[in-house]
Amino acid sequence: MGELMNIAKFERFFRRAARLDIDKEDLRRYDDFVHQKAYDLLLRGEANAKANGRDVIQPSDLPITKGLQESIHAYRRIDDERLDLASILGQLTKLPPLDLAYSEETAAKLPEIVGGLSYALARCFKILYPDLKNPQTQHWGSAYQLFDLLL
């Protein structure tokens, strides 16, 4: 029952963010995307912390671009009390083991950062395919390639 409610929330999120209809298979792809991109950001954050002589990854170490920051703000506007994705993203977003520890602030910010990545992903589909309603494998492949190029 809880999983079905979570699926419905993500369906509503993608509809609000980009008028996309997603299904269970899309949610599996989304889960892979979230984990990989969060790992990529945290890996760069670790490198930045090391370069600055710290042994803890701080939020300022994460490579949050202007565009990602704007997507985080857009995600916040969409994630109201009815949707409440923040709690689901908090459970979904796991901190991968790295050489350095995470600060409490970094761990607390990660669900919101993933929310911003999620919003950017939804908008990416519409930029690449303006008339798209239901993403297919090739659409996900293009989005992955674009994010891999930029993050």
Side-chain angles (χ1 to χ4, degrees):
M1 176 79 139
E3 183 180 334
L4 288 176
M5 287 175 54
N6 292 347
I7 291 170
K9 287 181 179 190
F10 280 104
E11 288 173 341
R12 280 197 303 273
F13 171 76
F14 277 90
R15 261 187 243 117
R16 285 183 185 182
R19 292 189 299 257
L20 292 172
D21 294 323
I22 60 167
D23 57 29
K24 228 177 187 177
E25 191 61 35
D26 292 321
L27 288 176
R28 286 186 191 95
R29 292 180 185 118
Y30 169 74
D31 187 59
D32 291 342
F33 171 84
V34 164
H35 285 94
Q36 185 59 53
K37 292 300 116 196
Y39 177 75
D40 291 348
L41 285 172
L42 292 166
L43 197 59
R44 288 301 315 141
E46 179 182 49
N48 290 337
K50 284 180 179 179
N52 290 313
R54 285 195 304 281
D55 58 357
V56 174
I57 301 169
Q58 297 294 338
S60 60
D61 294 320
L62 301 177
I64 306 298
T65 63
K66 177 184 174 281
L68 180 53
Q69 187 62 51
E70 290 172 358
S71 292
I72 292 168
H73 292 307
Y75 157 76
R76 285 182 193 145
R77 287 190 298 272
I78 290 174
D79 190 26
D80 59 21
E81 286 130 25
R82 278 192 2 226
L83 200 52
D84 189 30
L85 279 181
S87 62
I88 299 168
L89 289 174
Q91 297 167 9
L92 179 67
T93 308
K94 301 199 177 11
L95 296 171
L98 297 175
D99 292 340
L100 300 183
Y102 301 98
S103 72
E104 288 181 26
E105 295 86 5
T106 300
K109 278 187 159 279
L110 196 57
E112 197 169 72
I113 293 168
V114 169
L117 284 170
S118 302
Y119 179 85
L121 172 66
R123 297 302 307 149
C124 174
F125 284 125
K126 284 301 190 170
I127 291 168
L128 293 173
Y129 309 99
D131 297 326
L132 184 67
K133 296 292 181 205
N134 188 335
Q136 302 299 312
T137 302
Q138 70 270 20
H139 304 122
W140 280 95
S142 296
Y144 271 72
Q145 288 177 12
L146 185 60
F147 276 85
D148 284 344
L149 180 67
L150 296 173
L151 290 180

